[in-house]
Amino acid sequence: MRKMGPDERDRLFEQAREQSTRQDTWAEADRLWVRVIDAYREAAQGSGRVNRRDQQQLARALWRRGMLLSARGRAADGMAPGGEAVALFERVHDAVAAEGGDVADPAWDEALAELITALVDLAEVAFAAGQPATRLELVERAVAVGLLTVASPPSAGPRTREAMGTAYHNQAVALLHRSVTRPAGDDPIREAALAASRACELRQGLLDPLRPLSLWEMANTYGVYAQCLALIRDFDRAAMVLGLGNRLVELLGPAGAQPAQALRVAAEMVAREKSASGVTASRRWGWRRR
């Protein structure tokens, strides 16, 4: 087979990415990703010094194919490319980190954010594949990777802050799911509330009225946080969070349907828990290494 040049590989990558955005072309996108992966694997394994961008593109192609397979109902098949992508992103991050500099510099910020995102997305693929325990392990690994590199996530680069916001949000969701399916006292719920609180802090700092996705993500996290607060019976704070979330949902209009549903569920949980118990004292959640 003829070896593709850099420009040809890039064009094929963009074609596969574009085909992945529409469900009616997912099958073609999958075929294209296989070709993209083969092309970048050949480039990355060539003689001489490995081009970092080829490594990154190979990792990105593997990550995107894993997500696409999951979306097509083949989550179990998506675990292998997703896992390989994580390993490659880790290699790229370690190489960038070894060069020194500030973790908020664009190159390091990108490498760390992509590693965290790949771990978080692989966690969701694992959940879709019927592996909830693996999901929680992976999302907690994503959080740990961020904290080992950046002691205080709010001071990280913008892409890392966004990735960490998603990691904490998904950690809260995973802990909530475990608490419902495998009740084990209040500790998992309090851990979920802490994770959701941290996601809120990061996502609040990223709010941009000109970027509706940031409003959507913030409203969605408020819904999860309010559910956690309802279960630990912190009703005052839950009411405040519900109010903040509902205001964002109003701004989003029809596009806010999913976070609106999460907020409705939280409001119902607050009402149910309130009827069964009195109000407990509020507690402020702070940053700390775990």
Side-chain angles (χ1 to χ4, degrees):
M1 181 184 294
R2 179 181 62 83
K3 184 174 181 177
M4 291 186 194
D7 291 344
E8 191 176 0
R9 290 195 297 270
D10 286 352
R11 282 195 297 271
L12 192 63
F13 184 102
E14 288 305 312
Q15 186 181 353
R17 187 187 59 77
E18 195 277 331
Q19 297 280 17
S20 298
T21 62
R22 301 192 309 276
Q23 189 170 352
D24 62 329
T25 56
W26 278 355
E28 175 60 19
D30 192 15
R31 287 191 289 272
L32 287 174
W33 282 126
V34 171
R35 292 179 58 198
V36 171
I37 288 166
D38 288 344
Y40 278 105
R41 197 186 299 281
E42 183 180 25
Q45 292 176 346
S47 59
R49 186 176 179 181
V50 176
N51 184 291
R52 182 178 296 165
R53 186 171 184 281
D54 286 338
Q55 272 191 320
Q56 287 177 309
Q57 288 290 87
L58 174 57
R60 290 163 181 161
L62 287 160
W63 162 62
R64 288 179 180 275
R65 183 165 189 247
M67 295 293 289
L68 180 64
L69 287 168
S70 182
R72 297 185 71 197
R74 297 170 54 194
D77 294 333
M79 291 295 292
E84 186 180 354
V86 165
L88 284 169
F89 280 129
E90 192 168 33
R91 196 176 306 164
V92 169
H93 173 262
D94 289 348
V96 173
E99 294 172 357
D102 192 324
V103 72
D105 289 342
W108 199 344
D109 183 35
E110 176 185 63
L112 180 56
E114 287 193 319
L115 173 56
I116 293 168
T117 299
L119 281 162
V120 169
D121 286 345
L122 183 59
E124 295 312 300
V125 173
F127 185 66
Q131 302 175 38
T134 302
R135 174 209 209 181
L136 186 55
E137 289 170 7
L138 285 165
V139 80
E140 290 185 338
R141 181 178 160 196
V143 169
V145 164
L147 289 177
L148 283 170
T149 311
V150 186
S152 176
S155 66
R159 293 188 60 174
T160 297
R161 280 184 279 130
E162 186 172 357
M164 285 294 286
T166 302
Y168 278 124
H169 173 96
N170 286 27
Q171 182 185 29
V173 171
L175 287 165
L176 271 176
H177 178 266
R178 187 176 71 174
S179 72
V180 170
T181 56
R182 295 169 53 191
D186 290 341
D187 286 350
I189 296 297
R190 293 190 176 277
E191 287 181 36
L194 177 58
S197 173
R198 289 172 168 174
C200 284
E201 182 175 356
L202 288 166
R203 288 185 162 177
Q204 283 165 351
L206 294 165
L207 276 176
D208 181 355
L210 299 179
R211 197 168 67 92
L213 179 60
S214 70
L215 306 184
W216 189 97
E217 290 178 336
M218 187 74 261
N220 203 34
T221 295
Y222 279 143
V224 172
Y225 189 26
Q227 292 176 40
C228 296
L229 292 170
L231 291 175
I232 64 172
R233 295 173 179 172
D234 189 344
F235 302 124
D236 290 342
R237 190 172 304 193
M240 178 190 69
V241 170
L242 285 169
L244 292 169
N246 285 325
R247 281 198 288 275
L248 288 177
V249 164
E250 288 175 11
L251 289 173
L252 287 165
Q258 183 173 322
Q261 174 61 21
L263 289 160
R264 282 193 295 271
V265 169
E268 292 168 2
M269 290 169 65
V270 169
R272 185 172 63 247
E273 295 294 328
K274 218 169 188 178
S275 69
S277 173
V279 178
T280 59
S282 296
R283 174 179 175 183
R284 178 175 179 80
W285 301 100
W287 290 97
R288 63 180 174 85
R289 282 180 178 266
R290 297 176 62 197

Short mmCIF file of all heavy atoms in Angstrom, two decimals, residues 192-235:
data_model
loop_
_atom_site.label_atom_id
_atom_site.label_comp_id
_atom_site.label_asym_id
_atom_site.label_seq_id
_atom_site.Cartn_x
_atom_site.Cartn_y
_atom_site.Cartn_z
N ALA A 192 -19.50 12.54 45.97
CA ALA A 192 -20.14 13.03 44.75
C ALA A 192 -20.42 14.53 44.85
O ALA A 192 -20.20 15.29 43.89
CB ALA A 192 -21.44 12.27 44.49
N ALA A 193 -20.88 14.97 46.03
CA ALA A 193 -21.15 16.39 46.23
C ALA A 193 -19.87 17.21 46.13
O ALA A 193 -19.86 18.30 45.54
CB ALA A 193 -21.81 16.61 47.60
N LEU A 194 -18.77 16.69 46.65
CA LEU A 194 -17.49 17.37 46.56
C LEU A 194 -17.04 17.49 45.11
O LEU A 194 -16.59 18.55 44.66
CB LEU A 194 -16.45 16.62 47.39
CG LEU A 194 -15.02 17.15 47.37
CD1 LEU A 194 -14.97 18.59 47.82
CD2 LEU A 194 -14.13 16.27 48.23
N ALA A 195 -17.16 16.39 44.36
CA ALA A 195 -16.77 16.41 42.95
C ALA A 195 -17.63 17.39 42.16
O ALA A 195 -17.13 18.16 41.33
CB ALA A 195 -16.89 15.01 42.35
N ALA A 196 -18.95 17.38 42.42
CA ALA A 196 -19.85 18.30 41.71
C ALA A 196 -19.54 19.75 42.06
O ALA A 196 -19.60 20.64 41.20
CB ALA A 196 -21.30 17.96 42.04
N SER A 197 -19.19 20.00 43.33
CA SER A 197 -18.83 21.35 43.75
C SER A 197 -17.60 21.84 43.00
O SER A 197 -17.53 23.00 42.55
CB SER A 197 -18.56 21.37 45.26
OG SER A 197 -18.06 22.62 45.67
N ARG A 198 -16.62 20.96 42.85
CA ARG A 198 -15.40 21.34 42.14
C ARG A 198 -15.70 21.56 40.65
O ARG A 198 -15.13 22.48 40.03
CB ARG A 198 -14.35 20.25 42.33
CG ARG A 198 -13.80 20.23 43.75
CD ARG A 198 -12.91 19.03 43.98
NE ARG A 198 -12.16 19.18 45.23
CZ ARG A 198 -11.39 18.23 45.75
NH1 ARG A 198 -11.27 17.07 45.14
NH2 ARG A 198 -10.75 18.43 46.88
N ALA A 199 -16.56 20.74 40.08
CA ALA A 199 -16.96 20.95 38.68
C ALA A 199 -17.64 22.30 38.51
O ALA A 199 -17.39 23.02 37.54
CB ALA A 199 -17.89 19.82 38.23
N CYS A 200 -18.49 22.65 39.48
CA CYS A 200 -19.17 23.95 39.43
C CYS A 200 -18.16 25.10 39.44
O CYS A 200 -18.27 26.05 38.66
CB CYS A 200 -20.12 24.10 40.61
SG CYS A 200 -21.66 23.17 40.47
N GLU A 201 -17.17 25.00 40.34
CA GLU A 201 -16.18 26.07 40.45
C GLU A 201 -15.43 26.27 39.14
O GLU A 201 -15.23 27.40 38.68
CB GLU A 201 -15.19 25.77 41.58
CG GLU A 201 -14.16 26.88 41.77
CD GLU A 201 -13.25 26.64 42.96
OE1 GLU A 201 -13.46 25.67 43.70
OE2 GLU A 201 -12.32 27.45 43.14
N LEU A 202 -15.02 25.16 38.52
CA LEU A 202 -14.29 25.26 37.26
C LEU A 202 -15.18 25.77 36.13
O LEU A 202 -14.77 26.63 35.35
CB LEU A 202 -13.70 23.89 36.90
CG LEU A 202 -12.52 23.46 37.77
CD1 LEU A 202 -12.22 21.98 37.58
CD2 LEU A 202 -11.28 24.28 37.44
N ARG A 203 -16.39 25.26 36.07
CA ARG A 203 -17.27 25.65 34.96
C ARG A 203 -17.79 27.08 35.12
O ARG A 203 -18.04 27.76 34.12
CB ARG A 203 -18.41 24.64 34.82
CG ARG A 203 -17.90 23.32 34.25
CD ARG A 203 -18.96 22.29 33.97
NE ARG A 203 -18.42 21.28 33.06
CZ ARG A 203 -19.08 20.19 32.65
NH1 ARG A 203 -20.33 19.98 33.07
NH2 ARG A 203 -18.52 19.34 31.81
N GLN A 204 -17.92 27.55 36.34
CA GLN A 204 -18.30 28.95 36.55
C GLN A 204 -17.24 29.87 35.98
O GLN A 204 -17.56 30.92 35.39
CB GLN A 204 -18.50 29.22 38.04
CG GLN A 204 -19.81 28.69 38.60
CD GLN A 204 -19.82 28.65 40.12
OE1 GLN A 204 -18.81 28.87 40.77
NE2 GLN A 204 -20.99 28.35 40.68
N GLY A 205 -15.98 29.50 36.14
CA GLY A 205 -14.89 30.32 35.61
C GLY A 205 -14.80 30.31 34.10
O GLY A 205 -14.10 31.14 33.51
N LEU A 206 -15.47 29.36 33.47
CA LEU A 206 -15.42 29.23 32.00
C LEU A 206 -16.70 29.73 31.33
O LEU A 206 -16.81 29.67 30.11
CB LEU A 206 -15.21 27.75 31.62
CG LEU A 206 -13.85 27.16 32.03
CD1 LEU A 206 -13.89 25.63 31.94
CD2 LEU A 206 -12.73 27.71 31.15
N LEU A 207 -17.65 30.23 32.12
CA LEU A 207 -18.92 30.70 31.55
C LEU A 207 -18.68 31.83 30.55
O LEU A 207 -17.95 32.78 30.84
CB LEU A 207 -19.86 31.17 32.65
CG LEU A 207 -20.70 30.12 33.36
CD1 LEU A 207 -21.51 30.75 34.49
CD2 LEU A 207 -21.63 29.39 32.39
N ASP A 208 -19.32 31.71 29.40
CA ASP A 208 -19.21 32.72 28.35
C ASP A 208 -20.54 32.80 27.62
O ASP A 208 -20.93 31.85 26.95
CB ASP A 208 -18.09 32.34 27.38
CG ASP A 208 -17.90 33.36 26.26
OD1 ASP A 208 -18.69 34.32 26.20
OD2 ASP A 208 -16.96 33.18 25.46
N PRO A 209 -21.27 33.92 27.75
CA PRO A 209 -22.58 34.05 27.09
C PRO A 209 -22.51 33.84 25.58
O PRO A 209 -23.52 33.47 24.96
CB PRO A 209 -23.00 35.49 27.42
CG PRO A 209 -22.24 35.83 28.65
CD PRO A 209 -20.92 35.12 28.53
N LEU A 210 -21.33 34.06 24.99
CA LEU A 210 -21.18 33.88 23.56
C LEU A 210 -20.88 32.42 23.20
O LEU A 210 -20.76 32.10 22.01
CB LEU A 210 -20.07 34.79 23.02
CG LEU A 210 -20.31 36.30 23.20
CD1 LEU A 210 -19.13 37.09 22.65
CD2 LEU A 210 -21.60 36.72 22.53
N ARG A 211 -20.75 31.59 24.21
CA ARG A 211 -20.49 30.15 23.97
C ARG A 211 -21.58 29.36 24.69
O ARG A 211 -21.41 28.98 25.84
CB ARG A 211 -19.09 29.79 24.48
CG ARG A 211 -18.55 28.47 23.95
CD ARG A 211 -17.07 28.32 24.26
NE ARG A 211 -16.83 28.18 25.68
CZ ARG A 211 -16.74 26.99 26.31
NH1 ARG A 211 -16.91 25.87 25.64
NH2 ARG A 211 -16.50 26.96 27.60
N PRO A 212 -22.71 29.11 24.02
CA PRO A 212 -23.85 28.44 24.67
C PRO A 212 -23.50 27.11 25.33
O PRO A 212 -24.10 26.75 26.34
CB PRO A 212 -24.84 28.24 23.52
CG PRO A 212 -24.50 29.33 22.55
CD PRO A 212 -23.02 29.49 22.63
N LEU A 213 -22.51 26.39 24.78
CA LEU A 213 -22.13 25.11 25.38
C LEU A 213 -21.68 25.29 26.82
O LEU A 213 -21.95 24.44 27.68
CB LEU A 213 -21.03 24.44 24.56
CG LEU A 213 -20.52 23.09 25.10
CD1 LEU A 213 -21.65 22.07 25.18
CD2 LEU A 213 -19.37 22.57 24.25
N SER A 214 -21.00 26.41 27.12
CA SER A 214 -20.55 26.63 28.49
C SER A 214 -21.73 26.82 29.43
O SER A 214 -21.69 26.39 30.59
CB SER A 214 -19.61 27.84 28.56
OG SER A 214 -20.31 29.06 28.34
N LEU A 215 -22.81 27.45 28.94
CA LEU A 215 -24.01 27.61 29.76
C LEU A 215 -24.69 26.25 29.97
O LEU A 215 -25.17 25.95 31.07
CB LEU A 215 -24.99 28.57 29.08
CG LEU A 215 -24.46 29.96 28.68
CD1 LEU A 215 -25.60 30.80 28.10
CD2 LEU A 215 -23.84 30.67 29.86
N TRP A 216 -24.74 25.46 28.91
CA TRP A 216 -25.35 24.12 28.97
C TRP A 216 -24.61 23.25 29.99
O TRP A 216 -25.24 22.59 30.83
CB TRP A 216 -25.31 23.49 27.58
CG TRP A 216 -26.09 22.22 27.43
CD1 TRP A 216 -27.35 22.07 26.94
CD2 TRP A 216 -25.63 20.89 27.75
NE1 TRP A 216 -27.72 20.74 26.94
CE2 TRP A 216 -26.68 20.00 27.44
CE3 TRP A 216 -24.45 20.37 28.28
CZ2 TRP A 216 -26.57 18.62 27.63
CZ3 TRP A 216 -24.33 19.00 28.49
CH2 TRP A 216 -25.40 18.14 28.15
N GLU A 217 -23.29 23.23 29.91
CA GLU A 217 -22.49 22.41 30.82
C GLU A 217 -22.67 22.87 32.26
O GLU A 217 -22.78 22.03 33.18
CB GLU A 217 -21.02 22.46 30.41
CG GLU A 217 -20.72 21.74 29.12
CD GLU A 217 -19.28 21.83 28.69
OE1 GLU A 217 -18.59 22.79 29.11
OE2 GLU A 217 -18.80 20.94 27.95
N MET A 218 -22.71 24.19 32.48
CA MET A 218 -22.88 24.70 33.83
C MET A 218 -24.24 24.30 34.39
O MET A 218 -24.35 23.84 35.53
CB MET A 218 -22.75 26.23 33.80
CG MET A 218 -22.75 26.89 35.17
SD MET A 218 -21.22 26.68 36.12
CE MET A 218 -21.65 25.33 37.21
N ALA A 219 -25.30 24.46 33.59
CA ALA A 219 -26.65 24.10 34.03
C ALA A 219 -26.73 22.60 34.33
O ALA A 219 -27.36 22.18 35.31
CB ALA A 219 -27.68 24.48 32.97
N ASN A 220 -26.08 21.79 33.52
CA ASN A 220 -26.10 20.34 33.72
C ASN A 220 -25.42 19.97 35.03
O ASN A 220 -25.90 19.11 35.78
CB ASN A 220 -25.40 19.66 32.54
CG ASN A 220 -25.84 18.22 32.35
OD1 ASN A 220 -26.99 17.87 32.60
ND2 ASN A 220 -24.94 17.39 31.90
N THR A 221 -24.29 20.63 35.31
CA THR A 221 -23.59 20.35 36.57
C THR A 221 -24.39 20.83 37.77
O THR A 221 -24.40 20.18 38.82
CB THR A 221 -22.19 21.00 36.55
OG1 THR A 221 -21.40 20.36 35.54
CG2 THR A 221 -21.48 20.83 37.88
N TYR A 222 -25.08 21.97 37.64
CA TYR A 222 -25.94 22.41 38.73
C TYR A 222 -27.00 21.35 39.03
O TYR A 222 -27.35 21.12 40.21
CB TYR A 222 -26.63 23.72 38.37
CG TYR A 222 -25.78 24.96 38.55
CD1 TYR A 222 -25.87 26.03 37.66
CD2 TYR A 222 -24.91 25.09 39.63
CE1 TYR A 222 -25.10 27.18 37.83
CE2 TYR A 222 -24.14 26.23 39.81
CZ TYR A 222 -24.24 27.27 38.91
OH TYR A 222 -23.48 28.40 39.08
N GLY A 223 -27.53 20.70 37.99
CA GLY A 223 -28.52 19.65 38.20
C GLY A 223 -27.96 18.49 38.99
O GLY A 223 -28.60 17.97 39.92
N VAL A 224 -26.76 18.07 38.64
CA VAL A 224 -26.11 16.96 39.36
C VAL A 224 -25.77 17.37 40.79
O VAL A 224 -26.00 16.61 41.75
CB VAL A 224 -24.84 16.50 38.60
CG1 VAL A 224 -24.07 15.48 39.42
CG2 VAL A 224 -25.22 15.91 37.25
N TYR A 225 -25.24 18.59 40.94
CA TYR A 225 -24.86 19.07 42.27
C TYR A 225 -26.09 19.15 43.18
O TYR A 225 -26.04 18.75 44.35
CB TYR A 225 -24.19 20.43 42.14
CG TYR A 225 -23.55 20.96 43.41
CD1 TYR A 225 -23.10 20.11 44.42
CD2 TYR A 225 -23.36 22.33 43.58
CE1 TYR A 225 -22.50 20.61 45.57
CE2 TYR A 225 -22.76 22.84 44.73
CZ TYR A 225 -22.33 21.98 45.72
OH TYR A 225 -21.74 22.47 46.86
N ALA A 226 -27.19 19.66 42.65
CA ALA A 226 -28.41 19.77 43.44
C ALA A 226 -28.92 18.39 43.88
O ALA A 226 -29.44 18.23 44.98
CB ALA A 226 -29.48 20.51 42.66
N GLN A 227 -28.77 17.39 43.02
CA GLN A 227 -29.17 16.03 43.40
C GLN A 227 -28.31 15.53 44.56
O GLN A 227 -28.82 14.93 45.51
CB GLN A 227 -29.03 15.09 42.19
CG GLN A 227 -30.04 15.36 41.09
CD GLN A 227 -29.82 14.47 39.88
OE1 GLN A 227 -29.54 13.29 40.02
NE2 GLN A 227 -29.96 15.03 38.69
N CYS A 228 -27.01 15.79 44.49
CA CYS A 228 -26.11 15.39 45.58
C CYS A 228 -26.50 16.10 46.88
O CYS A 228 -26.56 15.48 47.96
CB CYS A 228 -24.67 15.74 45.24
SG CYS A 228 -23.99 14.88 43.82
N LEU A 229 -26.78 17.39 46.79
CA LEU A 229 -27.13 18.18 47.97
C LEU A 229 -28.45 17.70 48.58
O LEU A 229 -28.61 17.71 49.80
CB LEU A 229 -27.21 19.66 47.60
CG LEU A 229 -25.87 20.31 47.24
CD1 LEU A 229 -26.08 21.70 46.65
CD2 LEU A 229 -24.93 20.38 48.44
N ALA A 230 -29.37 17.30 47.71
CA ALA A 230 -30.64 16.76 48.22
C ALA A 230 -30.39 15.51 49.05
O ALA A 230 -30.97 15.33 50.13
CB ALA A 230 -31.58 16.46 47.06
N LEU A 231 -29.51 14.64 48.56
CA LEU A 231 -29.26 13.37 49.24
C LEU A 231 -28.48 13.53 50.53
O LEU A 231 -28.60 12.69 51.43
CB LEU A 231 -28.55 12.41 48.29
CG LEU A 231 -29.41 11.91 47.11
CD1 LEU A 231 -28.58 11.06 46.16
CD2 LEU A 231 -30.61 11.10 47.61
N ILE A 232 -27.65 14.59 50.64
CA ILE A 232 -26.98 14.83 51.92
C ILE A 232 -27.78 15.82 52.76
O ILE A 232 -27.34 16.26 53.82
CB ILE A 232 -25.53 15.33 51.73
CG1 ILE A 232 -25.47 16.69 51.03
CG2 ILE A 232 -24.69 14.29 51.00
CD1 ILE A 232 -24.08 17.29 50.99
N ARG A 233 -28.96 16.19 52.26
CA ARG A 233 -29.94 17.03 52.97
C ARG A 233 -29.42 18.43 53.29
O ARG A 233 -29.70 18.98 54.34
CB ARG A 233 -30.43 16.29 54.21
CG ARG A 233 -31.19 15.03 53.82
CD ARG A 233 -31.56 14.14 54.97
NE ARG A 233 -32.30 12.97 54.50
CZ ARG A 233 -32.62 11.94 55.26
NH1 ARG A 233 -32.29 11.94 56.54
NH2 ARG A 233 -33.30 10.93 54.77
N ASP A 234 -28.66 18.96 52.35
CA ASP A 234 -28.22 20.36 52.45
C ASP A 234 -29.21 21.17 51.61
O ASP A 234 -28.91 21.60 50.49
CB ASP A 234 -26.79 20.50 51.92
CG ASP A 234 -26.19 21.87 52.20
OD1 ASP A 234 -26.96 22.80 52.52
OD2 ASP A 234 -24.96 22.02 52.08
N PHE A 235 -30.41 21.39 52.17
CA PHE A 235 -31.52 21.92 51.39
C PHE A 235 -31.36 23.39 51.01
O PHE A 235 -31.79 23.81 49.93
CB PHE A 235 -32.84 21.70 52.13
CG PHE A 235 -33.11 20.26 52.45
CD1 PHE A 235 -33.34 19.84 53.76
CD2 PHE A 235 -33.12 19.30 51.44
CE1 PHE A 235 -33.58 18.50 54.04
CE2 PHE A 235 -33.37 17.97 51.73
CZ PHE A 235 -33.60 17.56 53.02
#
